[in-house]
Amino acid sequence: NETKWEIFVNLDQIDNSGIAPIKWTYIAIVASTPLLKASLDLNEFLKVLVKGGWLAENVFITSIELGTEVSCGSGIVELPTYSIEVGPK
């Protein structure tokens, strides 16, 4: 069963505190169903973002974040193992 993904893009993300007047592009790629275990090829996600026009081919990725964005309620996230392998594609 292949996981389906939703892409959320905000081209004018701002600091909601009002302290920093900068804007940036915010992109969230969210699994449509909860994942308990996964191996992800980020290159495939990047290809989709380039094809969609949200990411230029000549940019550098400065950070990748993994986690949750809690909008209501409460809960716990356990991540006992996390690793990244970087190599040429």
Side-chain angles (χ1 to χ4, degrees):
N1 191 6
E2 188 173 314
T3 302
K4 295 192 185 317
W5 301 89
E6 295 181 72
I7 300 174
F8 300 93
V9 178
N10 183 351
L11 300 176
D12 294 314
Q13 181 71 35
I14 60 169
D15 175 8
N16 288 327
S17 73
I19 295 172
I22 60 172
K23 292 183 180 181
W24 62 92
T25 299
Y26 170 85
I27 301 171
I29 302 172
V30 180
S32 59
T33 58
L35 295 176
L36 299 178
K37 183 177 182 179
S39 178
L40 307 175
D41 183 350
L42 295 182
N43 194 45
E44 294 303 314
F45 290 112
L46 295 175
K47 287 178 186 177
V48 170
L49 296 175
V50 168
K51 185 176 180 181
W54 299 301
L55 189 66
E57 289 185 26
N58 63 345
V59 298
F60 291 93
I61 304 299
T62 58
S63 67
I64 296 172
E65 298 177 21
L66 173 70
T68 62
E69 291 190 37
V70 178
S71 58
C72 64
S74 63
I76 186 169
V77 174
E78 293 183 17
L79 193 62
T81 304
Y82 175 77
S83 65
I84 296 178
E85 294 180 31
V86 178
K89 275 283 186 175

